[in-house]
Amino acid sequence: MFLHRLPTPVENTLPPNISKAPLTYARSQKHPLFRRQFLPSFHGPRTVLLPSPNVAVVSGSSWRQPEPFPPELRPDLMPKHVAVIMDGNGRWAKMRGSPPWVGHEAGVESLKRLIHLCCSWGIKVLTVFAFSYDNWKRPKVELDFLLRLFERTIDTEIEAFASEGIRISVIGDTSKLPNSLQKMIHNAEERTKQNSTLQLIIAISYSGKYDVVQACKAIAGKIKDGVVEIEDINERLIEQELETNCTKFPNPDLMIRTSGELRVSNFLLWQLAYAELVFDPKLWPDFGKDQFLEALASFQQRQRRFGARH
């Protein structure tokens, strides 16, 4: 049977001057049934479906309390860039007899938990697949809710993100978004562009194919204008035109997909070339500290060759 979450662990690549130490970690415990309770947020409580108490919630006070670095992990082997396909919101809601938007609401809280952990544990870039270009095919009522949810989340969390040193970047074909959301995205990017604790890259109306196509168009325009020659085209030039050129670390070290699906679904197709992949069976609203710790522990035990032989 294929193990979804953790492929067979192997040693990570370490610089020559760093000694290798054994790494052990505990597997996460399964969460009990969900229950209805008040959900703390940065700006006050509201009632939604929430995982049981062993899935931490980021509240206004706990956001400012860094999560202690896990003894199971090594700081020198932490990924600089983690990418996440946040899958399973709809199924999470359906299992509870609720409409899809209830799952999307719970998914936002799961994202807050992950952002808090990344800030606490020294990860520099977190890219999340919030809305695929292909998601425009979904029912209008769900699309309208998602777009309002994006606006509300930016509006309510921008103060906390700014104060915690989080830089917000958005990639994707934002021309398809409502003008009000486009304006909010622009303002959020401008307000947080000097922050350096964590860069949160949100992929909205994004696809990996779209990204490569728009990069090719940009290069073709430069050739037409005489800025570059055909002979100048190489991998580096293409990477400079991809939308992830907004960050110092454009290529994810680790990609996590939740819900047990075993595919990358048109996400960062170029950038994931040498990323380590973890497929977690938990639905996205159920994904918490235990699952993230297990994914990071798996990453740290792998040997990254980048095509070479060790």
Side-chain angles (χ1 to χ4, degrees), residues 45-61:
R46 54 197 171 110
T47 304
V48 299
L49 290 170
L50 180 72
S52 59
N54 61 336
V55 176
V57 176
V58 178
S59 65
S61 59

Side-chain angles (χ1 to χ4, degrees), residues 90-101:
R91 278 168 283 173
W92 186 91
K94 185 176 182 180
M95 289 170 60
R96 289 152 181 80
S98 300
W101 43 87

Side-chain angles (χ1 to χ4, degrees), residues 221-278:
K222 291 182 177 181
I223 292 175
K224 181 179 178 180
D225 295 338
V227 178
V228 299
E229 301 292 333
I230 293 180
E231 293 75 16
D232 298 330
I233 300 176
N234 53 29
E235 289 186 13
R236 181 175 178 81
L237 181 61
I238 294 173
E239 288 178 347
Q240 290 174 352
E241 298 297 339
L242 294 173
E243 298 216 335
T244 43
N245 63 8
C246 63
T247 180
K248 181 180 178 181
F249 306 104
N251 300 320
D253 303 296
L254 171 64
M255 192 283 290
I256 302 169
R257 180 174 185 147
T258 59
S259 85
E261 301 291 353
L262 306 178
R263 55 182 178 270
V264 297
S265 295
N266 206 0
F267 181 48
L268 299 176
L269 297 180
W270 178 287
Q271 297 90 334
L272 291 177
Y274 284 104
E276 298 295 325
L277 309 180
V278 169

Side-chain angles (χ1 to χ4, degrees), residues 49-123:
L49 290 170
L50 180 72
S52 59
N54 61 336
V55 176
V57 176
V58 178
S59 65
S61 59
S62 63
W63 178 259
R64 297 183 182 276
Q65 300 298 322
E67 185 74 27
F69 191 84
E72 301 96 324
L73 301 179
R74 292 183 52 175
D76 55 294
L77 290 181
M78 290 295 285
K80 289 188 170 52
H81 186 166
V82 174
V84 181
I85 299 177
M86 307 181 293
D87 193 24
N89 291 341
R91 278 168 283 173
W92 186 91
K94 185 176 182 180
M95 289 170 60
R96 289 152 181 80
S98 300
W101 43 87
V102 174
H104 296 314
E105 288 270 13
V108 170
E109 302 307 321
S110 188
L111 176 58
K112 292 179 190 176
R113 294 194 296 268
L114 184 60
I115 292 171
H116 179 57
L117 293 172
C118 288
C119 289
S120 299
W121 294 350
I123 292 167

